Structures are given as C-alpha cells and as structure tokens.
Amino acid sequence: MMRTTLWGCGLLLASLVGQARAAGEAVPAAGADRLVPRPLWELGLGVAALRLPDYRGSDQSHAYLLPLPYVVYRGEWLRADRDGARALLLKTERVKVDVSVAASAPARSRDDAARSGMPNLPPTVEFGPNVNVELLQSADQRVRLDLRLPLRAPVTVQRSPHAIGLTFSPNLNLDFKGVGGGWNVGVLGGPLFADRKYHQYFYGVDAVYATPQRPAYTAPGGYAGWQVLAAVSRRFGSTWVGAFLRYDSLRGSVFNASPLVRQDHEVTVGIGVSWVFATSGQLVASED
C-alpha cells in the first residue's frame, strides 16, 4: 500500500504541476514570431513537498516529500510542457484538441476517521479529450487567456483496474510570462462535474459499511463544486523552481449530504525544485 500511495501521490503531483507549470525560459520580444528554436526534449529530477487532503471534502490531510521529475518534450504530436503531458490531435491558430491526463491520490481508510472500516481508495488516473480555445493573447505574448474543456474517464490504479465514470471540468486558464524579471504565473479555475459512478466511488456509503454515525448514502451525478489553482515557476539556468496553491469548494455540490464530506472547502499547497541534467541537441520551432 505504501508503494501505491507514493506512486499515486506522484501521479497527482505531476498532474498539479503540469496544470500551470511554465517553461521558465526567455520570452520572445514584442513583435517577434510566436515560434522560436527550443530543444526537442529536456530531462531533470528534483524533489517536491506538498500537503494533500485524503480526498475532496475530507477534513484530514497528509504531507508528502516526493521525487519531482522535470520532463519537456516538444514533438509534433506528443507534448509534455507547461500545459501538461498530452497527445496533440488537432491544432489551428486558436484551437487545439489533445488527449490530457489528470490523477487523484490514494487514501487509506484506517488513517481517515470518516472512512474507518471502509475499503481503501486506490489512486486514479484520468484520460480524455481536451479542447483548448485561445481567447486572448497580448501583442507581446506575455499574457494569454484560454478556455479549456477536458472530458476524462478515470480508472483506478490497482492490480485489477476498473473504470469509475466520467468527469468534466471546464475552466479558464490565465498565464503571465516574465513577471518580476522572469517569473511565470498561471491561474486556472472553473466548475467541476462528474457522473453518478464517479461520485459514488468517493462519497457513496454502501449499507454494509453504514454505522449510526455514517448512514448509507448513494451519490448522484452532477455539479461537484469548483476549484482555483495558482502557480508560479521560473528557470534559473538548469534549475527549475515552482509552487502551487489550490482552493477547492464543495458548496452546492450534489453529494454535499454525504457523511464522507466533512468540510466544504480546502486548500492544497506544494513547492518543488528540479535540476535539468540533459537537453536535446536537436532544436524545434516552439512557442513554449
């Protein structure tokens, strides 16, 4: 379980960092072409510290110290950059369609009072199409506003994986490059939705696990609250540093009556540093 916990938290860490991580490189001068030569790939490794709730709505959280990989790949169809890891399916001047990834960390029921006696929650990984629409780009390319529409299918990470429904999280993503002499700042936020199967996985209580303090509960599908994530990052030569803060609100969610929801808001924080130790000699035209 410890190995699964660390791996699952690593998945979530990579997902969170990828949501708002900026490349941290020099920004093209105003009026320059959007595409500039950059290495095809970059590899690095570091460490990150973060504090995670056991699940959205839990009143218990745990701190983790984890290895933090730094991976950038600027291929024609496969990308791993400040927008996360994905396979690019379609790209026009203002619209991109790709395959995106997200994740959730595992939770051990013996460590969480609300879930005591219930099965553990394995980590999950989510895959699905994402439509990214560029709404605004400043003339000097330092400010960008995107609308993102990811629809994902979560799967549990365990010996016998199984699908647990669908999630949809439309959001606005605002990026600022070169702030304060070289910092990149990203802010992403929007509502969350999921089907009944997904909500039942996290918030349902089967009759066999019901107690006087934890009545049986069947979770419906629909609105799951909203969240905002803010991140900052910067490259100092071969060193990348970054930090994020995420606020989650479950107010008004369809499963708010679940006995497993112990609080209707929470904050997740993390900070990391990676050292880039290998860079491709091949250059490609990229805007990242």
Side-chain angles (χ1 to χ4, degrees):
M1 181 64 188
M2 178 59 70
R3 181 180 298 176
T4 304
T5 298
L6 292 177
W7 193 66
C9 289
L11 281 175
L12 178 60
L13 174 63
S15 174
L16 289 170
V17 171
Q19 287 184 53
R21 191 184 74 186
E25 300 173 358
V27 178
D33 191 272
R34 294 176 62 169
L35 300 179
V36 295
R38 303 210 188 277
L40 174 63
W41 54 262
E42 298 177 81
L43 296 177
L45 184 63
V47 63
L50 66 162
R51 189 165 191 87
L52 300 173
D54 289 351
Y55 54 90
R56 292 185 70 236
S58 173
D59 60 353
Q60 294 183 243
S61 60
H62 293 85
Y64 300 91
L65 187 66
L66 300 170
L68 176 63
Y70 180 93
V71 180
V72 172
Y73 185 78
R74 303 180 177 94
E76 184 175 357
W77 301 109
L78 181 63
R79 302 286 179 86
D81 52 28
R82 67 187 181 89
D83 293 322
R86 68 219 189 272
L88 190 62
L89 304 178
L90 172 70
K91 181 177 181 180
T92 66
E93 184 177 355
R94 291 190 175 275
V95 178
K96 290 186 289 186
V97 180
D98 55 44
V99 176
S100 61
V101 181
S104 71
R108 290 188 293 184
S109 296
R110 71 181 186 185
D111 297 332
D112 190 284
R115 296 189 57 86
S116 179
M118 297 182 66
N120 295 325
L121 288 177
T124 69
V125 60
E126 304 179 19
F127 300 92
N130 172 50
V131 178
N132 190 326
V133 182
E134 182 182 295
L135 301 179
L136 171 69
Q137 173 110 324
S138 65
D140 62 5
Q141 303 177 29
R142 294 179 182 270
V143 180
R144 190 180 75 186
L145 176 66
D146 296 330
L147 170 65
R148 299 181 178 183
L149 304 168
L151 176 67
R152 301 187 180 105
V155 178
T156 59
V157 180
Q158 56 187 142
R159 181 170 297 179
S160 299
H162 61 274
I164 56 170
L166 291 171
T167 67
F168 179 55
S169 51
N171 60 78
L172 291 173
N173 181 80
L174 182 61
D175 283 332
F176 300 90
K177 293 184 178 182
V179 177
W183 289 92
N184 297 292
V185 180
V187 181
L188 177 153
L192 306 175
F193 303 90
D195 64 5
R196 181 201 61 79
K197 189 174 183 179
Y198 182 83
H199 288 163
Q200 183 68 15
Y201 175 78
F202 285 100
Y203 305 106
V205 179
D206 294 338
V208 68
Y209 301 115
T211 68
Q213 295 76 33
R214 186 178 62 206
Y217 179 79
T218 300
Y223 179 64
W226 57 274
Q227 65 180 210
V228 174
L229 181 144
V232 296
S233 66
R234 185 171 180 175
R235 278 282 292 271
F236 296 92
S238 60
T239 302
W240 177 90
V241 295
F244 73 87
L245 184 148
R246 188 180 72 184
Y247 177 81
D248 270 284
S249 173
L250 280 71
R251 294 185 180 94
S253 64
V254 296
F255 52 79
N256 208 44
S258 169
L260 300 180
V261 176
R262 294 293 187 92
Q263 61 180 13
D264 61 8
H265 66 279
E266 63 199 18
V267 176
T268 302
V269 295
I271 186 170
V273 56
S274 286
W275 293 270
V276 181
F277 55 76
T279 301
S280 168
Q282 179 181 351
L283 300 179
V284 295
S286 173
E287 61 183 272
D288 294 308

